[in-house]
Amino acid sequence: MALTGRTALLAALGSLVVGLLPGWHGVLAVALPLLAAVLYDLARAAPVRTLRLERAGATSVRLGQDAEVQLTVANPAARPLRAELRDAWPPSSWRPGTQFAAARHRLTVPAGERRRLTTVLSPTRRGDHLAVRVTVRSHGPLGLAARQGSHAVPWTLRVLPPFASRKHLPAKLARLRELDGRTTLLTRGEGTEFDSLRDYVPGDDVRSIDWRATARQSTVAVRTWRPERDRHLLLVLDTGRTSAGRVGDAPRLDAAMDAALLLTALASQAGDRVDLLAFDRTVRASVRGRTGGDMLPATVAAMTRLHPALLETDMRAMSAAALAGAPRRSLIVLFTGLDRAPVEAGLLPVLPQLTHRHTVLVAAVGDPRIAEMAGTRGTVPGVYEAAAAAQHAQEREHTTARLRRFGVTVVEAPPEDLPPAVADAYLSLKASGRL
């Protein structure tokens, strides 16, 4: 049983009456009617335990979007239900400051009827969000007392990566169609799959001239090549300590995942196969053997519960796992950091094993704050910031140069620019026939 604020107010007024009437007569004059009213109100309140509750609604949503989950409350009792209801979810299921209002509802359910409530969730973290419990406080007709109880009504809302870089996909697909010869633009990047012959135009590579076809006609004929299809890409996400570093409002891992999703969508449209490996000291997620339209949904599902681990990545174990996942020549896209110490101690020693059999692309999330620091001048703190930025840039150039000596393609860009930059690097490799 729960007493309401109205009961407390009546009790306070009763205490004034007791002060005016002497002895036990005043106490009894106030307490007995108030107690009788509370007991009557409690008896007329609809029971909570017999309520039947069911859920429906969204089962998945992208991070940053809202999801609606419906809760149906059926009242089988002979008395109407006048209640306050709290639909409890984890705190990360709402934006800060909105949980109290979004989780609480007032409702009236006549005897033998049902009502549907809608709880709007605004998740702030990826992963599975599980409903905690539903607490119902059933009031009597006088509002003096209430029955309260909780029900477990299971429901899981899966929060998927936001895939904000999807907006770049149409432009990248247009460039892919150019490379694939499906538009009027003639590309001169050589693949290894012969497409057709056309007339020579100034600027064409003379090595593309087909001399036998030229001898049979009055104009010079040039071979055109179509970028190869059915290539294999292995995307490796480093989920170790460096991926937890925040750039802006999100960890580096989130930006890497966004770039990986754009690359997966683009490569699947190009007819290539894409596998995923998330690793630090052990495999955190893996997607293998998916084709066509299954690639992107499987990759999104695998990334849903990925979070950075505060561990130093075992690059030797990661390299072994990558080689095992790419038995034939592939493009290995490694999403990791370019910090000098981890690269020199961990990545450089294992690179020869990877580049011997595969084409390797290293993608790193850059911090735009470094560029801001490099432009500060005029104050003592500004000079120190500019010096730190210059040292950081010098170390990055040194690390990038060492990686490129092994034939590695290096892409570093701020979070919002990394996905299209990685996609452009992939298309350039495809156009040059290096896949």
Side-chain angles (χ1 to χ4, degrees):
M1 181 184 78
L3 298 178
T4 66
R6 186 176 299 179
T7 307
L9 177 60
L10 291 177
L13 293 175
S15 64
L16 295 177
V17 176
V18 171
L20 298 176
L21 296 177
W24 290 99
H25 298 287
V27 175
L28 294 176
V30 173
L32 289 179
L34 181 59
L35 179 60
V38 169
L39 292 177
Y40 169 80
D41 208 37
L42 183 64
R44 297 301 299 168
V48 174
R49 292 184 179 180
T50 59
L51 295 176
R52 295 195 296 268
L53 291 86
E54 297 178 353
R55 289 194 186 274
T59 57
S60 64
V61 66
R62 292 197 178 276
L63 186 65
Q65 298 178 350
D66 293 342
E68 294 186 351
V69 178
Q70 286 79 37
L71 179 68
T72 301
V73 182
N75 178 23
R79 299 186 294 276
L81 173 70
R82 308 172 186 86
E84 296 174 352
L85 182 145
R86 181 174 180 266
D87 191 2
W89 290 74
S92 59
S93 300
W94 286 279
R95 299 185 186 95
T98 63
Q99 177 179 355
F100 184 85
R104 296 179 182 271
H105 306 272
R106 289 182 177 271
L107 74 159
T108 300
V109 185
E113 296 187 14
R114 62 179 61 199
R115 293 291 185 269
R116 177 176 293 180
L117 305 173
T118 299
T119 300
V120 180
L121 304 177
S122 307
T124 58
R125 295 189 62 187
R126 287 179 287 102
D128 290 340
H129 293 241
L130 307 179
V132 181
R133 62 181 175 272
V134 176
T135 302
V136 181
R137 177 174 289 184
S138 172
H139 293 275
L142 302 178
L144 299 177
R147 302 171 185 265
Q148 181 168 311
S150 297
H151 291 259
V153 191
W155 194 260
T156 300
L157 178 68
R158 174 159 292 184
V159 183
L160 308 175
F163 196 10
S165 61
R166 184 190 294 269
K167 61 186 178 182
H168 298 291
L169 187 57
K172 304 309 173 187
L173 288 176
R175 185 179 173 194
L176 177 65
R177 287 191 293 270
E178 295 173 3
L179 296 178
D180 217 12
R182 290 194 290 268
T183 66
T184 57
L185 180 62
L186 299 174
T187 60
R188 300 184 178 84
E190 291 189 4
T192 58
E193 181 182 348
F194 175 72
D195 184 22
S196 60
L197 294 173
R198 61 172 174 82
D199 291 342
Y200 173 87
V201 294
D204 284 335
D205 191 338
V206 295
R207 294 174 295 179
S208 299
I209 297 176
D210 188 319
W211 296 107
R212 291 189 178 184
T214 300
R216 295 194 297 268
Q217 60 188 36
S218 59
T219 58
V220 178
V222 178
R223 302 187 191 95
T224 62
W225 305 88
R226 179 177 300 164
E228 289 193 20
R229 303 175 70 85
D230 196 29
R231 301 295 89 186
H232 180 235
L233 283 74
L234 177 61
L235 311 186
V236 182
L237 287 171
D238 179 359
T239 57
R241 175 184 59 81
T242 57
S243 70
R246 301 186 74 85
V247 178
D249 295 330
R252 296 176 186 269
L253 179 61
D254 285 16
M257 289 167 52
D258 197 28
L261 288 176
L262 179 62
L263 186 55
T264 300
L266 180 60
S268 63
Q269 292 292 324
D272 293 335
R273 295 184 301 107
V274 183
D275 291 340
L276 173 73
L277 175 67
F279 197 97
D280 41 69
R281 288 186 175 273
T282 186
V283 176
R284 300 297 180 180
S286 178
V287 177
R288 299 188 61 184
R290 300 303 180 98
T291 58
D294 292 337
M295 288 185 200
L296 187 60
T299 303
V300 170
M303 290 180 177
T304 299
R305 286 173 282 186
L306 275 183
H307 296 283
L310 300 181
L311 303 168
E312 198 68 41
T313 301
D314 186 343
M315 283 293 181
R316 292 188 181 275
M318 177 186 285
S319 175
L323 291 173
R328 63 188 181 93
R329 183 168 181 81
S330 308
L331 171 63
I332 296 179
V333 183
L334 175 58
F335 294 91
T336 187
L338 289 179
D339 295 338
R340 184 170 183 174
V343 169
E344 292 185 352
L347 182 57
L348 289 179
V350 302
L351 266 183
Q353 304 173 30
L354 297 175
T355 56
H356 177 69
R357 294 173 52 186
H358 306 289
T359 302
V360 179
L361 189 156
V362 172
V365 181
D367 191 346
R369 172 62 182 151
I370 302 300
E372 296 176 7
M373 292 170 57
T376 55
R377 294 290 189 277
T379 63
V380 173
V383 172
Y384 277 105
E385 287 187 358
Q391 182 179 3
H392 179 274
Q394 186 178 10
E395 290 181 355
R396 279 291 196 271
E397 292 175 1
H398 176 76
T399 302
T400 300
R402 295 196 63 179
L403 291 173
R404 287 173 175 161
R405 290 193 196 107
F406 289 92
V408 175
T409 301
V410 180
V411 175
E412 184 182 22
E416 63 276 7
D417 298 331
L418 183 65
V422 172
D424 288 339
Y426 160 74
L427 292 173
S428 297
L429 291 171
K430 198 171 185 65
S432 62
R434 293 179 59 188
L435 298 188

